[in-house]
Amino acid sequence: MNERAVHTDEALDVVIAMHRLMRRLRRSGHGGAVHPTQLIVLALLTQYGPLRIGEIARRVPCSQPTATTAVAGLLAGGYVDRRADPTDGRATQVLITEAGGEILRSFARAQAEVLAGLMSAIPADQAKLLLSTAPVLGHLADLPAPPGDAP
């Protein structure tokens, strides 16, 4: 049996810290124009290009009905559009609009300003260490869910 390199209690500390930091960043930014799940959808569309709803749900991760609801709100706001999937005419893809890109950049910029301000209060070596984790966190976010995991 393989022993985990990181124990659950250690990972729990990271989870709690990330949740607290993200809550602080969300509360400091724009209020209510776009839901956090919708921001994730916009970021995914920016990163990967047009996606089907099922792929959005897998990458968020969330249920397909939650992804559908998030996309419906973004459609109503003019932040995304739909088009026929070029590989399957029966399916549609969701793509980000200019307005969607602008609201994403605006939210991200505001949260980055808050984070940069917070990071200025910690030692430079800790700030550099935190910045170096971005690729690792992105990689973890993109790993497939283990079988049986619910979104």
Side-chain angles (χ1 to χ4, degrees), residues 74-122:
L74 291 168
L75 276 165
Y79 301 127
V80 299
D81 205 352
R82 289 185 183 260
R83 73 171 187 198
D85 186 330
T87 63
D88 182 353
R90 300 168 297 168
T92 60
Q93 291 180 324
V94 179
L95 60 147
I96 193 166
T97 64
E98 185 69 34
E102 182 50 43
I103 198 150
L104 177 64
R105 286 185 294 277
S106 176
F107 269 79
R109 203 174 302 113
Q111 290 184 346
E113 287 175 11
V114 172
L115 182 59
L118 292 171
M119 290 174 66
S120 69
I122 63 176

Side-chain angles (χ1 to χ4, degrees), residues 24-70:
R24 186 166 184 179
L25 294 177
R26 276 191 215 112
R27 287 184 177 167
S28 66
H30 299 273
V34 179
H35 187 273
T37 301
Q38 292 172 320
L39 284 174
I40 295 169
V41 170
L42 292 173
L44 289 170
L45 295 174
T46 298
Q47 182 176 2
Y48 297 105
L51 297 170
R52 291 184 183 188
I53 291 284
E55 183 64 13
I56 291 170
R58 186 185 74 73
R59 289 182 183 272
V60 166
C62 64
S63 68
Q64 193 153 337
T66 297
T68 300
T69 300

